[in-house]
Amino acid sequence: MNNNFVVIMAGGIGSRFWPMSTSKHPKQFHDVLGIGKSLLQMTVERYLPICDEKNIYIVTNENYKGLVKEQLPNFSDDQILLEPSRKNTAPCIAYAAYKIHQQNPEAKMIVAPSDHLIMKEHEFQQTIKAALTAADTLGQLITIGIKPNRPDTGYGYIQFENGETNVRKVKTFTEKPSLDIAQRFIDSGDFYWNSGMFIWSSATIIDAFEKYLPEIGKLFNDIKDDFYSTEEEASINRIYPLCKNISIDYGIMEKAEHVSVILADLGWSDLGTWGSLYTHIEQDSNKNAIVGKNVLTYDANDNMIKVSDEKLVVIQGLNDFIVVENEKTLLICKKRDEQKIKQFVTDIKSKKGDQFI
Protein backbone atom coordinates (compact mmCIF):
# COMPACT_ATOMS: atom_id res chain seq x y z
CA MET A 1 0.00 0.00 0.00
CA ASN A 2 2.93 2.35 0.63
CA ASN A 3 3.85 2.04 -3.05
CA ASN A 4 0.37 3.11 -4.14
CA PHE A 5 0.01 6.78 -5.07
CA VAL A 6 -3.04 8.68 -6.27
CA VAL A 7 -2.86 11.80 -8.43
CA ILE A 8 -6.07 13.84 -8.53
CA MET A 9 -6.34 16.37 -11.34
CA ALA A 10 -8.19 19.41 -9.98
CA GLY A 11 -7.21 22.33 -12.18
CA GLY A 12 -10.15 22.63 -14.58
CA ILE A 13 -12.74 25.40 -14.66
CA GLY A 14 -15.83 23.31 -15.53
CA SER A 15 -17.43 25.99 -17.71
CA ARG A 16 -20.38 23.74 -18.62
CA PHE A 17 -21.38 23.97 -14.94
CA TRP A 18 -21.62 27.77 -14.98
CA PRO A 19 -22.85 29.72 -13.08
CA MET A 20 -22.07 27.49 -10.09
CA SER A 21 -18.63 26.74 -11.47
CA THR A 22 -16.53 29.87 -12.05
CA SER A 23 -12.88 30.55 -12.73
CA LYS A 24 -12.45 31.62 -9.09
CA HIS A 25 -14.36 28.68 -7.63
CA PRO A 26 -14.61 25.70 -10.04
CA LYS A 27 -17.07 22.86 -9.64
CA GLN A 28 -14.62 20.40 -8.04
CA PHE A 29 -14.60 22.62 -4.94
CA HIS A 30 -18.41 22.75 -4.70
CA ASP A 31 -20.86 20.54 -2.85
CA VAL A 32 -22.63 19.73 -6.11
CA LEU A 33 -24.83 16.98 -4.67
CA GLY A 34 -25.88 18.89 -1.57
CA ILE A 35 -24.37 16.32 0.84
CA GLY A 36 -21.88 18.48 2.72
CA LYS A 37 -18.78 17.43 0.76
CA SER A 38 -17.18 18.84 -2.36
CA LEU A 39 -16.42 16.65 -5.35
CA LEU A 40 -12.71 16.93 -4.50
CA GLN A 41 -13.30 15.77 -0.93
CA MET A 42 -15.42 12.87 -2.18
CA THR A 43 -12.66 11.86 -4.60
CA VAL A 44 -10.01 11.85 -1.87
CA GLU A 45 -12.23 9.74 0.41
CA ARG A 46 -12.79 7.26 -2.39
CA TYR A 47 -9.09 6.39 -2.50
CA LEU A 48 -8.33 6.15 1.23
CA PRO A 49 -8.93 2.35 1.32
CA ILE A 50 -6.33 1.98 -1.45
CA CYS A 51 -3.71 4.55 -0.60
CA ASP A 52 -2.25 6.30 2.46
CA GLU A 53 -3.47 9.89 2.64
CA LYS A 54 0.12 11.14 2.52
CA ASN A 55 0.46 9.41 -0.88
CA ILE A 56 -2.42 11.34 -2.43
CA TYR A 57 -1.32 14.28 -4.57
CA ILE A 58 -3.51 17.07 -5.93
CA VAL A 59 -2.49 18.79 -9.18
CA THR A 60 -4.23 22.12 -9.55
CA ASN A 61 -3.81 25.65 -10.80
CA GLU A 62 -1.77 27.88 -8.52
CA ASN A 63 -4.85 30.08 -8.06
CA TYR A 64 -6.64 27.27 -6.23
CA LYS A 65 -4.03 26.48 -3.58
CA GLY A 66 -6.12 28.23 -0.92
CA LEU A 67 -9.25 26.24 -1.83
CA VAL A 68 -7.33 22.95 -1.69
CA LYS A 69 -5.77 23.80 1.69
CA GLU A 70 -9.17 24.83 3.04
CA GLN A 71 -10.88 21.61 1.95
CA LEU A 72 -7.95 19.25 2.62
CA PRO A 73 -6.28 20.79 5.70
CA ASN A 74 -4.20 17.67 6.42
CA PHE A 75 -2.40 17.85 3.08
CA SER A 76 1.16 19.14 3.08
CA ASP A 77 2.47 21.61 0.50
CA ASP A 78 4.43 18.75 -1.12
CA GLN A 79 1.12 17.00 -1.83
CA ILE A 80 -0.30 20.02 -3.68
CA LEU A 81 1.30 20.42 -7.11
CA LEU A 82 0.68 23.90 -8.46
CA GLU A 83 0.52 24.55 -12.19
CA PRO A 84 1.37 28.13 -13.21
CA SER A 85 -0.74 27.74 -16.36
CA ARG A 86 -3.18 25.25 -17.90
CA LYS A 87 -1.41 22.92 -20.33
CA ASN A 88 -3.88 20.02 -20.52
CA THR A 89 -3.35 16.63 -18.89
CA ALA A 90 0.02 15.45 -20.22
CA PRO A 91 2.20 18.07 -18.45
CA CYS A 92 0.30 17.78 -15.16
CA ILE A 93 0.66 13.99 -15.20
CA ALA A 94 4.36 14.32 -16.06
CA TYR A 95 4.84 16.69 -13.12
CA ALA A 96 3.26 14.18 -10.72
CA ALA A 97 5.00 11.14 -12.21
CA TYR A 98 8.52 12.56 -12.13
CA LYS A 99 8.03 13.96 -8.63
CA ILE A 100 6.59 10.75 -7.19
CA HIS A 101 9.24 8.62 -8.94
CA GLN A 102 11.98 10.74 -7.41
CA GLN A 103 10.65 9.81 -3.96
CA ASN A 104 9.70 6.19 -4.70
CA PRO A 105 10.97 4.44 -7.87
CA GLU A 106 8.65 1.50 -7.06
CA ALA A 107 5.55 3.69 -7.11
CA LYS A 108 2.31 2.65 -8.75
CA MET A 109 0.09 5.55 -9.76
CA ILE A 110 -3.64 6.02 -10.08
CA VAL A 111 -4.52 9.20 -12.00
CA ALA A 112 -8.09 10.47 -11.67
CA PRO A 113 -10.15 13.60 -12.32
CA SER A 114 -11.51 15.37 -9.25
CA ASP A 115 -15.09 15.76 -10.45
CA HIS A 116 -16.36 12.26 -11.21
CA LEU A 117 -19.14 10.40 -9.44
CA ILE A 118 -18.90 6.69 -8.59
CA MET A 119 -22.09 5.07 -7.31
CA LYS A 120 -20.83 1.47 -6.97
CA GLU A 121 -18.03 1.91 -4.45
CA HIS A 122 -17.33 -1.81 -3.88
CA GLU A 123 -16.98 -2.52 -7.60
CA PHE A 124 -14.75 0.53 -7.88
CA GLN A 125 -12.38 -0.71 -5.15
CA GLN A 126 -12.16 -4.14 -6.79
CA THR A 127 -11.52 -2.61 -10.22
CA ILE A 128 -8.73 -0.34 -8.97
CA LYS A 129 -7.03 -3.20 -7.12
CA ALA A 130 -7.19 -5.40 -10.23
CA ALA A 131 -5.77 -2.56 -12.34
CA LEU A 132 -2.90 -2.01 -9.89
CA THR A 133 -2.05 -5.72 -10.05
CA ALA A 134 -2.13 -5.67 -13.87
CA ALA A 135 0.02 -2.55 -14.01
CA ASP A 136 2.54 -4.17 -11.68
CA THR A 137 2.73 -7.59 -13.36
CA LEU A 138 2.16 -6.68 -17.02
CA GLY A 139 3.98 -3.34 -17.23
CA GLN A 140 0.96 -1.84 -18.98
CA LEU A 141 -0.53 1.62 -19.29
CA ILE A 142 -4.06 0.95 -18.12
CA THR A 143 -7.23 2.99 -18.46
CA ILE A 144 -10.62 2.18 -16.99
CA GLY A 145 -13.39 1.64 -19.50
CA ILE A 146 -16.99 2.20 -18.45
CA LYS A 147 -19.77 0.05 -19.85
CA PRO A 148 -21.94 2.47 -21.88
CA ASN A 149 -25.69 2.64 -21.41
CA ARG A 150 -26.44 5.11 -24.20
CA PRO A 151 -24.77 6.44 -27.39
CA ASP A 152 -23.34 9.57 -25.76
CA THR A 153 -21.45 11.91 -28.11
CA GLY A 154 -19.68 13.74 -25.28
CA TYR A 155 -17.39 10.87 -24.28
CA GLY A 156 -14.34 9.21 -25.77
CA TYR A 157 -14.65 5.53 -26.70
CA ILE A 158 -12.17 2.67 -26.33
CA GLN A 159 -12.27 -0.33 -28.64
CA PHE A 160 -10.78 -3.48 -27.13
CA GLU A 161 -9.79 -6.97 -28.23
CA ASN A 162 -11.57 -10.14 -27.20
CA GLY A 163 -10.25 -11.84 -24.09
CA GLU A 164 -10.96 -14.08 -21.12
CA THR A 165 -10.55 -11.46 -18.38
CA ASN A 166 -11.70 -7.90 -17.78
CA VAL A 167 -8.23 -6.62 -18.70
CA ARG A 168 -8.17 -6.26 -22.49
CA LYS A 169 -5.67 -4.93 -24.98
CA VAL A 170 -6.78 -1.62 -26.50
CA LYS A 171 -7.31 -1.49 -30.27
CA THR A 172 -8.40 2.11 -30.85
CA PHE A 173 -9.39 5.35 -29.11
CA THR A 174 -12.10 7.56 -30.62
CA GLU A 175 -12.90 11.03 -29.26
CA LYS A 176 -16.52 12.26 -29.17
CA PRO A 177 -18.03 10.53 -32.21
CA SER A 178 -21.22 11.52 -33.99
CA LEU A 179 -24.48 10.03 -32.71
CA ASP A 180 -24.65 7.49 -35.57
CA ILE A 181 -21.11 6.29 -34.95
CA ALA A 182 -21.65 6.20 -31.18
CA GLN A 183 -24.72 4.00 -31.73
CA ARG A 184 -22.68 1.65 -33.94
CA PHE A 185 -20.04 1.46 -31.21
CA ILE A 186 -22.70 0.49 -28.67
CA ASP A 187 -24.23 -2.11 -30.99
CA SER A 188 -20.86 -3.74 -31.68
CA GLY A 189 -20.29 -4.55 -28.01
CA ASP A 190 -16.53 -3.98 -28.15
CA PHE A 191 -16.44 -0.29 -27.22
CA TYR A 192 -16.52 1.20 -23.71
CA TRP A 193 -16.43 4.82 -22.57
CA ASN A 194 -13.05 6.27 -21.71
CA SER A 195 -13.32 7.27 -18.04
CA GLY A 196 -10.18 9.40 -17.95
CA MET A 197 -8.82 7.31 -15.05
CA PHE A 198 -5.40 5.73 -15.54
CA ILE A 199 -3.21 3.24 -13.67
CA TRP A 200 0.49 2.54 -14.25
CA SER A 201 3.83 2.41 -12.51
CA SER A 202 5.77 5.65 -12.36
CA ALA A 203 8.61 3.95 -14.26
CA THR A 204 6.28 2.84 -17.08
CA ILE A 205 4.70 6.25 -17.64
CA ILE A 206 8.10 7.98 -17.48
CA ASP A 207 9.39 5.58 -20.16
CA ALA A 208 6.34 6.49 -22.24
CA PHE A 209 7.00 10.22 -21.87
CA GLU A 210 10.61 9.74 -22.95
CA LYS A 211 9.47 7.79 -26.01
CA TYR A 212 6.34 9.66 -27.14
CA LEU A 213 6.64 13.13 -25.59
CA PRO A 214 10.42 13.43 -25.14
CA GLU A 215 10.43 17.22 -25.01
CA ILE A 216 8.11 17.17 -21.98
CA GLY A 217 10.00 14.28 -20.42
CA LYS A 218 13.32 16.10 -20.71
CA LEU A 219 11.96 19.25 -19.09
CA PHE A 220 10.84 17.37 -15.98
CA ASN A 221 13.83 15.04 -15.89
CA ASP A 222 16.14 18.04 -15.90
CA ILE A 223 14.58 19.39 -12.68
CA LYS A 224 14.09 16.07 -10.86
CA ASP A 225 16.63 17.00 -8.15
CA ASP A 226 14.55 20.09 -7.30
CA PHE A 227 11.45 18.14 -6.26
CA TYR A 228 10.70 18.25 -2.53
CA SER A 229 13.01 21.24 -2.15
CA THR A 230 12.67 25.02 -1.97
CA GLU A 231 13.69 25.13 -5.66
CA GLU A 232 10.68 23.17 -6.93
CA GLU A 233 8.26 26.06 -7.42
CA ALA A 234 10.77 28.21 -9.31
CA SER A 235 11.78 25.30 -11.53
CA ILE A 236 8.17 24.43 -12.36
CA ASN A 237 7.41 28.06 -13.14
CA ARG A 238 10.40 28.13 -15.48
CA ILE A 239 9.65 24.98 -17.48
CA TYR A 240 5.83 25.00 -17.61
CA PRO A 241 5.59 27.66 -20.34
CA LEU A 242 7.84 25.42 -22.46
CA CYS A 243 5.54 22.39 -22.16
CA LYS A 244 3.40 21.39 -25.10
CA ASN A 245 -0.34 21.84 -24.50
CA ILE A 246 -1.54 18.28 -25.08
CA SER A 247 -3.70 15.63 -23.43
CA ILE A 248 -2.30 12.34 -22.17
CA ASP A 249 -4.71 10.57 -24.55
CA TYR A 250 -3.37 12.24 -27.70
CA GLY A 251 0.21 12.48 -26.50
CA ILE A 252 0.75 8.94 -25.21
CA MET A 253 -2.25 6.60 -24.89
CA GLU A 254 -3.15 6.65 -28.60
CA LYS A 255 0.48 6.01 -29.62
CA ALA A 256 1.78 3.56 -27.04
CA GLU A 257 1.88 -0.19 -27.69
CA HIS A 258 1.37 -1.57 -24.21
CA VAL A 259 -2.06 -0.11 -23.45
CA SER A 260 -4.86 -2.06 -21.79
CA VAL A 261 -8.36 -1.25 -20.62
CA ILE A 262 -10.02 -2.79 -17.61
CA LEU A 263 -13.74 -3.17 -18.24
CA ALA A 264 -15.97 -1.91 -15.47
CA ASP A 265 -19.53 -1.01 -14.50
CA LEU A 266 -19.15 1.47 -11.64
CA GLY A 267 -22.25 3.64 -11.70
CA TRP A 268 -19.93 6.26 -13.16
CA SER A 269 -20.61 9.78 -14.35
CA ASP A 270 -18.14 12.51 -15.21
CA LEU A 271 -20.70 15.08 -14.01
CA GLY A 272 -19.78 17.16 -17.01
CA THR A 273 -23.14 18.90 -17.42
CA TRP A 274 -26.23 19.91 -15.49
CA GLY A 275 -28.09 17.19 -17.34
CA SER A 276 -25.72 14.52 -16.03
CA LEU A 277 -26.13 15.86 -12.49
CA TYR A 278 -29.92 15.73 -12.90
CA THR A 279 -29.79 11.96 -13.33
CA HIS A 280 -27.92 11.49 -10.04
CA ILE A 281 -30.04 13.57 -7.69
CA GLU A 282 -33.19 12.26 -6.04
CA GLN A 283 -36.21 13.67 -7.82
CA ASP A 284 -39.58 14.69 -6.43
CA SER A 285 -42.95 13.37 -7.62
CA ASN A 286 -42.81 15.76 -10.59
CA LYS A 287 -39.29 14.67 -11.56
CA ASN A 288 -37.67 17.87 -10.39
CA ALA A 289 -34.10 17.42 -9.09
CA ILE A 290 -33.67 20.10 -6.44
CA VAL A 291 -30.56 21.17 -4.51
CA GLY A 292 -31.64 23.89 -2.08
CA LYS A 293 -33.67 23.82 1.13
CA ASN A 294 -36.22 26.53 0.30
CA VAL A 295 -37.61 25.76 -3.15
CA LEU A 296 -41.34 25.61 -3.91
CA THR A 297 -42.57 24.42 -7.32
CA TYR A 298 -46.01 24.66 -8.95
CA ASP A 299 -46.93 23.05 -12.27
CA ALA A 300 -43.21 22.43 -12.81
CA ASN A 301 -41.74 19.18 -14.08
CA ASP A 302 -38.42 17.58 -15.08
CA ASN A 303 -36.32 20.54 -13.94
CA MET A 304 -32.75 20.68 -12.59
CA ILE A 305 -32.78 23.34 -9.84
CA LYS A 306 -29.78 24.39 -7.73
CA VAL A 307 -30.01 27.42 -5.46
CA SER A 308 -28.51 28.50 -2.15
CA ASP A 309 -30.12 27.24 1.04
CA GLU A 310 -30.57 30.81 2.26
CA LYS A 311 -32.71 31.89 -0.68
CA LEU A 312 -36.44 31.20 -1.06
CA VAL A 313 -37.19 30.31 -4.68
CA VAL A 314 -40.67 29.82 -6.16
CA ILE A 315 -40.93 28.30 -9.63
CA GLN A 316 -44.19 27.98 -11.54
CA GLY A 317 -44.90 26.60 -14.99
CA LEU A 318 -41.37 25.56 -16.00
CA ASN A 319 -40.85 22.19 -17.66
CA ASP A 320 -37.49 20.59 -18.54
CA PHE A 321 -35.37 23.60 -17.53
CA ILE A 322 -32.10 24.22 -15.72
CA VAL A 323 -32.39 26.88 -13.01
CA VAL A 324 -29.14 27.71 -11.21
CA GLU A 325 -28.41 30.65 -8.92
CA ASN A 326 -24.94 31.57 -7.67
CA GLU A 327 -24.09 34.84 -5.93
CA LYS A 328 -24.55 37.54 -8.61
CA THR A 329 -25.76 35.25 -11.40
CA LEU A 330 -28.88 33.36 -12.41
CA LEU A 331 -29.16 30.87 -15.28
CA ILE A 332 -32.50 29.75 -16.73
CA CYS A 333 -31.93 27.46 -19.68
CA LYS A 334 -33.74 24.61 -21.42
CA LYS A 335 -32.17 21.29 -20.46
CA ARG A 336 -31.98 20.21 -24.08
CA ASP A 337 -29.94 23.32 -24.89
CA GLU A 338 -27.37 22.93 -22.12
CA GLN A 339 -24.56 22.53 -24.65
CA LYS A 340 -24.99 26.26 -25.28
CA ILE A 341 -23.78 27.13 -21.77
CA LYS A 342 -20.14 27.17 -22.87
CA GLN A 343 -21.09 29.72 -25.54
CA PHE A 344 -22.98 31.75 -22.93
CA VAL A 345 -19.80 31.91 -20.86
CA THR A 346 -17.76 33.01 -23.89
CA ASP A 347 -20.29 35.73 -24.70
CA ILE A 348 -20.44 36.94 -21.11
CA LYS A 349 -16.66 37.23 -20.97
CA SER A 350 -16.57 39.34 -24.15
CA LYS A 351 -19.57 41.53 -23.27
CA LYS A 352 -19.46 41.79 -19.49
CA GLY A 353 -15.88 40.95 -18.55
CA ASP A 354 -14.61 38.38 -16.05
CA GLN A 355 -16.64 39.42 -13.00
CA PHE A 356 -19.47 36.95 -13.69
CA ILE A 357 -17.41 33.95 -14.81
Side-chain angles (χ1 to χ4, degrees):
M1 190 163 170
N2 287 336
N3 288 336
N4 293 346
F5 287 76
V6 174
V7 176
I8 299 173
M9 299 180 290
I13 295 175
S15 59
R16 289 181 296 172
F17 256 96
W18 183 87
M20 179 197 70
S21 185
T22 64
S23 57
K24 291 182 180 179
H25 201 115
K27 70 172 179 176
Q28 60 268 25
F29 301 108
H30 283 272
D31 175 12
V32 173
L33 299 175
I35 60 172
K37 297 174 186 175
S38 72
L39 292 174
L40 175 62
Q41 290 169 321
M42 291 173 63
T43 304
V44 168
E45 286 187 3
R46 188 176 300 136
Y47 287 101
L48 291 177
I50 292 166
C51 173
D52 292 337
E53 186 178 75
K54 65 181 177 60
N55 285 2
I56 299 177
Y57 286 62
I58 311 297
V59 188
T60 191
N61 187 274
E62 61 185 9
N63 295 327
Y64 306 144
K65 180 180 180 180
L67 286 169
V68 175
K69 295 287 283 186
E70 178 185 327
Q71 296 195 1
L72 303 173
N74 294 334
F75 277 50
S76 70
D77 286 347
D78 273 326
Q79 291 173 267
I80 304 172
L81 282 55
L82 301 176
E83 297 182 282
S85 57
R86 292 181 176 86
K87 290 284 188 173
N88 217 313
T89 52
C92 89
I93 289 171
Y95 182 4
Y98 279 85
K99 178 168 180 170
I100 289 168
H101 191 75
Q102 185 71 359
Q103 180 192 81
N104 185 343
E106 303 299 316
K108 293 178 285 185
M109 293 173 56
I110 304 156
V111 179
S114 59
D115 53 0
H116 287 186
L117 183 66
I118 305 289
M119 302 299 289
K120 301 178 181 179
E121 289 286 348
H122 177 72
E123 288 86 344
F124 173 77
Q125 302 291 340
Q126 297 303 112
T127 297
I128 292 294
K129 289 173 183 176
L132 285 167
T133 299
D136 200 28
T137 57
L138 302 176
Q140 296 279 300
L141 301 172
I142 296 175
T143 184
I144 295 179
I146 303 296
K147 186 176 182 179
N149 57 21
R150 62 186 184 278
D152 198 301
T153 61
Y155 295 151
Y157 286 74
I158 302 169
Q159 185 183 26
F160 49 86
E161 295 182 354
N162 292 329
E164 299 298 319
T165 70
N166 280 349
V167 181
R168 307 286 182 87
K169 184 173 176 57
V170 170
K171 293 172 71 173
T172 63
F173 288 90
T174 303
E175 279 297 307
K176 299 180 180 178
S178 68
L179 185 61
D180 287 346
I181 292 175
Q183 185 64 60
R184 274 187 271 163
F185 286 172
I186 301 293
D187 294 341
S188 75
D190 60 353
F191 285 83
Y192 268 40
W193 287 333
N194 185 355
S195 71
M197 291 183 278
F198 306 100
I199 300 93
W200 44 52
S201 70
S202 61
T204 299
I205 191 61
I206 285 172
D207 285 345
F209 270 104
E210 292 175 354
K211 183 173 182 180
Y212 300 108
L213 289 173
E215 65 283 6
I216 292 179
K218 184 177 189 307
L219 288 169
F220 285 96
N221 188 61
D222 286 349
I223 66 165
K224 64 183 180 182
D225 293 335
D226 296 337
F227 293 129
Y228 303 99
S229 80
T230 56
E231 303 299 317
E232 179 176 335
E233 182 178 356
S235 295
I236 289 297
N237 289 343
R238 185 180 73 252
I239 70 166
Y240 237 76
L242 306 175
C243 288
K244 187 176 184 180
N245 188 330
I246 190 169
S247 72
I248 197 73
D249 295 276
Y250 284 125
I252 290 179
M253 300 301 283
E254 294 183 12
K255 300 174 183 176
E257 298 173 2
H258 304 295
V259 179
S260 294
V261 57
I262 185 162
L263 308 182
D265 183 4
L266 307 176
W268 171 91
S269 171
D270 73 343
L271 289 183
T273 65
W274 288 111
S276 62
L277 178 61
Y278 172 81
T279 63
H280 291 288
I281 292 179
E282 185 176 352
Q283 297 165 13
D284 66 15
S285 58
N286 294 313
K287 296 186 178 180
N288 295 305
I290 300 173
V291 180
K293 292 182 178 178
N294 294 300
V295 179
L296 298 176
T297 61
Y298 301 88
D299 305 316
N301 302 278
D302 303 293
N303 297 300
M304 173 68 237
I305 302 166
K306 188 178 192 308
V307 297
S308 65
D309 290 340
E310 295 77 25
K311 189 164 291 186
L312 172 66
V313 176
V314 179
I315 294 174
Q316 188 273 334
L318 282 186
N319 296 293
D320 205 39
F321 271 75
I322 298 164
V323 180
V324 184
E325 167 264 338
N326 185 37
E327 295 181 356
K328 296 181 288 186
T329 56
L330 173 65
L331 170 71
I332 303 172
C333 170
K334 292 179 181 177
K335 278 221 306 285
R336 66 174 179 266
D337 291 332
E338 68 174 354
Q339 72 277 6
K340 296 179 180 179
I341 292 175
K342 285 190 80 170
Q343 186 60 50
F344 298 162
V345 172
T346 300
D347 293 344
I348 291 163
K349 186 170 184 177
S350 65
K351 296 176 181 179
K352 300 292 182 180
D354 294 337
Q355 63 172 319
F356 298 109
I357 60 169

